[in-house]
Amino acid sequence: MRRRCTWNIFQSIEYAGEQDQIKLYNFFGFLMDHFTPTSSERNLISHIFRENEICHDADWERYFCYKDIEVPASYSGPHLTIPMTFCGLSKLMEAFKHKQQLHARYVLQILGETWRLLRILPNINHVSVCHTKEITICGDLHGQLEDLLLIFYKNGLPSCEKPYIFNGDFVDRGKNSLEIMLILFGFLLVYPNDVHLNRGNHEDHIVNLRYGFTKEVLGKYRVHGKKILKLLQKIFSWLPLATVINHKVLVVHGGISDSTDLDLVARMDRHRYVSVLRPPKMSRQTLNGDKTVIGKNENASGPAEGRRRVRSLTNTSALIQKNNIPRRSLHNLPITGNQPNCSVEDELKKRRRLAGFDQSYREMKTPDSDSDPEFGEPMETHGHEWKQIVDLLWSDPMPQNGCIANEVRGGGCYWGPDVTEEVLGRHNLQLLIRSHECKQDGYEFCHDRRVLTIFSASNYYEVGSNRGAYIRMGPDLVPHFIQYQASSTCRELTLRQSVGWTERSALRALRQQLFVHKSDLIGAFQEFDPNNTGVISLRHWATATERVLKLGLPWRVLRPQLVSRAQHGMVNYQQWIRELSIPEPKPEVSDTSILETMYKNHSNLETIFRIIDTDHSGLISFEEFRQTWKLLSSHLKMEISDKAIADLAQSMDFNKDGSIDINEFMEAFRLVDLSSHG
């Protein structure tokens, strides 16, 4: 039970982060669609919605060109040639084992060749296995190179005799995402008929902004990092969406929904969806007369096919209504409440209401008519294609029948065994293999053993938290599992020691979540304490804590680990709140509420910073810093004074050069271990 409870903590916090990322991106999409092109806030984020400024293949060929990049004589890493060879690939892996870095020239060389190959591959790869060779299927790797190398050591390297399928989520969270991509791309180039790469939901540059891949690439390649990232965005959009084995086994990263149509998936232009968090949007120039002129697709390099309506990842039937909003910019709107003009939040509320939005900008009403094309707002055309990809990459199975929006992650759906039976039956399939979810044993069956989850990143949440696994499958299509744990430290622990280790780590992460929500928790507790006694019942403590954190955890079971002093079923919440503290002092800021906002929205702030840092220098100006906080305050529906922002900026400008180092800023406010009472 302790192990299961620990697992729930890790998973709940992980999915809450994914939901926050989608909410933040939906907010950016709202700003893009409902504010004038000249607004400063819109300009700050507009570049992330133009993923492919370069549209023609000839332009991309020039962009991929590496021949002008010189390799210095001091470089001691591998020298690669094209076409890629197994010998060169072996040298590459050996270099990565010894933590050597591949020169940028060779990185661009591999990426260019990979792009050229991926463009000719279908959306759904069809592979066959026979008695002479089995196929190996790997799940999420998430930048954990040690796991990939262990798989190769135990199972053998990919070859014509040993084909592999890698089922997405190669990047983010781990430290060696780029090395994993280069190794897998290398094997794809050497064995294009025997190595198959499916796209995952983390092969998405908007997701990479939050979960580490962007930061990793820019840290390793300061000169050419921006170009490498741009090319990877392009390559990710060309990764196939699924693989079918012997016409009977579907391998896809996330899953399916009740509207999944593999025939449609096979026909669509997958490269149009550089980020599946937002469907492609066309700019229609005129609506006069019978002929409509279609402008450049902001999110695609393919032919324009009409402008697409922005849709929530959790509400795929929702559409936006036409509005005649006054076109005023948010620039220089007052942020304090003592002026007669409306605040940013008032302006946002007004625009959401006029745009047909309910309380949340993610909830949309049915349109009465088309949107204003000059304003560049989304229009209703094709949404079904986009939904197909979102469901394939983001969905999870559930034990109940039916198909519902996946509100836990914020994207895709939850689908039941009846949907599995219908979709597999309609396509004459017998098994669905997917990844996307960490499992304690590295794999898990559900839906009467017709759905199989495989996850290959061991020790994903913490050392000892889970095993990794991969599948070997022969012509009988019966999956055989091989489990492992890459960490030698973990292998030396007993089961009791391992559970204790991961439990302490999970509770530490949970205490951090409690700390950053202190003010909200106090308010929720006081509702159950009208006489201000400082004491509430255990039941009320659990109810209020869940109401604030929304993690779906068994709080009453967790109480002994979180609250050290509770007598007769009562909790002294005032004392407990005081114990949620961080030991080291932080910079002096006149408005202490901004510190709590900083801790609570640490990941959102880092994401916004990296969006605003368009030149990827790691530095932003005081004005960009101020705009960052204005964006965050609008997103959070709160107000932060200019003085508080200025105080914080000056306290973080360590060398007083008028700019702020993003990495130093985030590290200074990263939560340290909290006191481990209880």
Side-chain angles (χ1 to χ4, degrees):
M1 189 174 75
R2 285 172 55 196
R3 194 179 180 207
R4 191 180 310 119
C5 199
T6 296
W7 190 261
N8 288 340
I9 293 171
F10 280 130
Q11 197 167 66
S12 296
I13 293 174
E14 177 190 9
Y15 291 171
E18 289 186 346
Q19 190 180 118
D20 279 351
Q21 173 72 355
I22 291 175
K23 286 179 180 177
L24 181 64
Y25 189 66
N26 285 343
F27 172 72
F28 292 154
F30 176 82
L31 290 182
M32 287 295 297
D33 293 328
H34 296 280
F35 290 86
T36 67
T38 57
S39 73
S40 58
E41 287 81 1
R42 193 181 193 276
N43 286 339
L44 284 168
I45 61 173
S46 62
H47 62 280
I48 69 169
F49 292 90
R50 295 193 299 269
E51 292 91 347
N52 282 332
E53 293 95 339
I54 303 172
C55 290
H56 302 293
D57 289 345
D59 294 326
W60 277 106
E61 290 283 357
R62 287 192 291 271
Y63 200 59
F64 274 107
C65 187
Y66 55 87
K67 294 178 181 178
D68 293 336
I69 302 175
E70 293 186 4
V71 180
S74 59
Y75 172 68
S76 59
H79 294 260
L80 303 181
T81 59
I82 293 297
M84 194 82 174
T85 64
F86 180 81
C87 180
L89 196 48
S90 299
K91 292 177 181 177
L92 179 65
M93 286 195 295
E94 195 63 28
F96 288 160
K97 284 180 186 177
H98 294 92
K99 304 191 185 315
Q100 286 183 297
Q101 186 166 303
L102 185 65
H103 194 274
R105 174 189 173 100
Y106 302 120
V107 173
L108 294 173
Q109 194 170 305
I110 292 175
L111 296 183
E113 292 303 309
T114 302
W115 170 67
R116 294 180 187 96
L117 173 58
L118 288 175
R119 290 170 61 233
I120 65 174
L121 295 181
N123 295 344
I124 302 176
N125 279 311
H126 285 265
V127 301
S128 299
V129 291
C130 59
H131 292 285
T132 58
K133 64 178 181 182
E134 297 179 319
I135 196 163
T136 302
I137 306 155
C138 300
D140 297 29
L141 289 165
H142 277 302
Q144 298 185 187
L145 180 61
E146 194 177 4
D147 286 302
L148 178 63
L149 296 179
L150 182 58
I151 292 171
F152 287 163
Y153 173 77
K154 294 171 69 72
N155 192 63
L157 295 173
S159 67
C160 297
E161 292 73 34
K162 196 173 287 293
Y164 274 79
I165 299 171
F166 295 93
N167 199 25
D169 278 14
F170 316 112
V171 304
D172 281 334
R173 294 197 168 96
K175 297 178 180 179
N176 298 109
S177 297
L178 185 57
E179 286 83 355
I180 285 177
M181 292 298 348
L182 293 173
I183 289 172
L184 296 184
F185 289 161
F187 276 112
L188 177 67
L189 293 173
V190 176
Y191 303 108
N193 297 316
D194 300 289
V195 173
H196 310 280
L197 308 181
N198 290 341
R199 183 175 179 175
N201 67 307
H202 277 261
E203 278 67 65
D204 186 311
H205 74 106
I206 299 301
V207 178
N208 301 157
L209 284 167
R210 185 184 189 107
Y211 291 103
F213 186 48
T214 297
K215 182 178 178 180
E216 177 192 328
V217 173
L218 295 175
K220 291 174 179 176
Y221 294 93
R222 294 193 177 275
V223 177
H224 300 284
K226 184 176 181 180
K227 178 177 283 192
I228 290 170
L229 279 174
K230 194 72 182 175
L231 298 179
L232 281 164
Q233 290 177 25
K234 183 74 170 172
I235 287 170
F236 286 167
S237 72
W238 278 105
L239 286 171
L241 300 170
T243 305
V244 175
I245 305 171
N246 284 17
H247 304 289
K248 291 295 182 182
V249 177
L250 173 66
V251 184
V252 66
H253 178 72
I256 55 175
S257 73
D258 54 1
S259 61
T260 294
D261 182 350
L262 296 182
D263 296 327
L264 174 59
V265 171
R267 293 194 305 269
M268 67 176 63
D269 294 326
R270 66 181 184 274
H271 67 283
R272 182 180 293 135
Y273 303 91
V274 179
S275 174
V276 298
L277 297 188
R278 181 180 172 89
K281 189 169 72 120
M282 306 292 185
S283 295
R284 189 158 66 177
Q285 307 297 329
T286 67
L287 286 174
N288 298 325
D290 296 331
K291 185 176 180 180
T292 298
V293 180
I294 303 297
K296 176 182 173 181
N297 184 350
E298 289 185 4
N299 199 6
S301 60
E305 291 184 1
R307 206 164 52 152
R308 295 179 184 273
R309 183 176 300 277
V310 176
R311 308 175 68 174
S312 165
L313 266 74
T314 57
N315 187 0
T316 54
S317 63
L319 301 170
I320 296 179
Q321 162 183 339
K322 176 183 177 182
N323 61 87
N324 296 311
I325 303 170
R327 295 175 191 168
R328 46 184 298 212
S329 168
L330 276 182
H331 187 52
N332 293 329
L333 282 177
I335 203 71
T336 56
N338 56 3
Q339 301 184 45
N341 294 331
C342 61
S343 68
V344 171
E345 177 52 30
D346 292 333
E347 182 75 7
L348 281 170
K349 284 180 180 178
K350 177 183 176 183
R351 289 175 183 267
R352 289 174 189 142
R353 185 175 65 254
L354 291 174
F357 282 73
D358 257 336
Q359 297 299 315
S360 165
Y361 52 78
R362 291 172 59 242
E363 298 172 1
M364 310 174 193
K365 294 180 181 178
T366 304
D368 296 326
S369 59
D370 289 336
S371 299
D372 178 0
E374 181 185 349
F375 194 32
E377 292 190 2
M379 298 180 58
E380 180 180 9
T381 49
H382 313 295
H384 194 52
E385 249 189 33
W386 169 71
K387 183 182 183 301
Q388 293 285 320
I389 298 183
V390 173
D391 289 341
L392 291 177
L393 302 188
W394 278 88
S395 298
D396 296 300
M398 66 177 181
Q400 303 85 6
N401 282 339
C403 189
I404 60 175
N406 192 332
E407 299 290 353
V408 175
R409 287 188 191 268
C413 72
Y414 277 117
W415 88 91
D418 58 329
V419 175
T420 294
E421 184 174 354
E422 192 279 324
V423 172
L424 293 188
R426 177 158 35 94
H427 292 93
N428 197 26
L429 299 166
Q430 65 186 43
L431 177 66
L432 167 62
I433 297 178
R434 41 92 61 177
S435 301
H436 195 42
E437 285 184 286
C438 183
K439 298 298 180 182
Q440 287 185 332
D441 294 320
Y443 71 94
E444 183 178 275
F445 276 108
C446 65
H447 294 184
D448 296 322
R449 298 179 71 85
R450 299 199 72 185
V451 173
L452 170 60
T453 299
I454 187 71
F455 197 85
S456 298
S458 65
N459 309 301
Y460 178 63
Y461 293 124
E462 179 57 86
V463 174
S465 62
N466 68 285
R467 295 179 179 180
Y470 58 89
I471 298 169
R472 278 207 295 255
M473 180 177 284
D476 58 1
L477 302 182
V478 175
H480 300 276
F481 308 100
I482 294 86
Q483 299 168 292
Y484 54 86
Q485 281 185 304
S487 171
S488 58
T489 304
C490 179
R491 290 193 293 268
E492 294 166 0
L493 297 176
T494 65
L495 176 60
R496 182 177 294 275
Q497 289 172 329
S498 177
V499 171
W501 181 299
T502 54
E503 184 179 54
R504 285 190 294 274
S505 178
L507 291 171
R508 185 165 57 247
L510 187 55
R511 288 192 190 98
Q512 290 180 355
Q513 292 294 312
L514 292 166
F515 167 78
V516 301
H517 289 87
K518 279 201 302 185
S519 296
D520 296 333
L521 286 168
I522 291 172
F525 294 150
Q526 287 175 342
E527 291 183 22
F528 294 109
D529 184 23
N531 298 323
N532 199 29
T533 64
V535 178
I536 57 176
S537 69
L538 173 59
R539 180 170 64 86
H540 287 158
W541 174 85
T543 300
T545 304
E546 175 57 29
R547 184 186 302 165
V548 171
L549 266 68
K550 299 181 177 65
L551 292 177
L553 294 173
W555 294 104
R556 297 182 73 173
V557 175
L558 289 168
R559 196 276 308 164
Q561 283 77 36
L562 297 173
V563 184
S564 57
R565 301 175 183 87
Q567 294 181 343
H568 310 296
M570 305 297 288
V571 175
N572 186 329
Y573 68 86
Q574 291 182 345
Q575 181 178 356
W576 178 68
I577 287 290
R578 285 194 295 271
E579 292 174 345
L580 291 173
S581 60
I582 52 177
E584 38 179 77
K586 293 299 176 187
E588 291 295 327
V589 179
S590 58
D591 184 356
T592 56
S593 66
I594 203 171
L595 297 182
E596 185 169 342
T597 303
M598 168 72 242
Y599 288 123
K600 188 184 299 184
N601 297 281
H602 181 278
S603 294
N604 282 341
L605 265 176
E606 186 164 8
T607 300
I608 297 173
F609 282 157
R610 299 202 178 280
I611 290 170
I612 288 178
D613 179 27
T614 53
D615 62 354
H616 301 298
S617 65
L619 299 173
I620 57 174
S621 67
F622 276 18
E623 176 58 21
E624 289 172 328
F625 185 77
R626 186 183 72 82
Q627 294 285 8
T628 298
W629 279 93
K630 292 288 185 70
L631 276 173
L632 181 67
S633 63
S634 300
H635 172 57
L636 299 176
K637 296 180 263 189
M638 63 181 292
E639 292 183 6
I640 301 172
S641 71
D642 281 342
K643 183 181 185 306
I645 297 172
D647 285 352
L648 186 58
Q650 290 170 4
S651 71
M652 298 308 300
D653 183 16
F654 299 118
N655 59 1
K656 306 305 176 186
D657 64 350
S659 63
I660 296 168
D661 185 297
I662 295 175
N663 295 322
E664 286 184 4
F665 177 82
M666 301 313 296
E667 287 302 322
F669 282 86
R670 198 174 298 278
L671 282 172
V672 297
D673 290 352
L674 301 178
S675 54
S676 56
H677 58 276

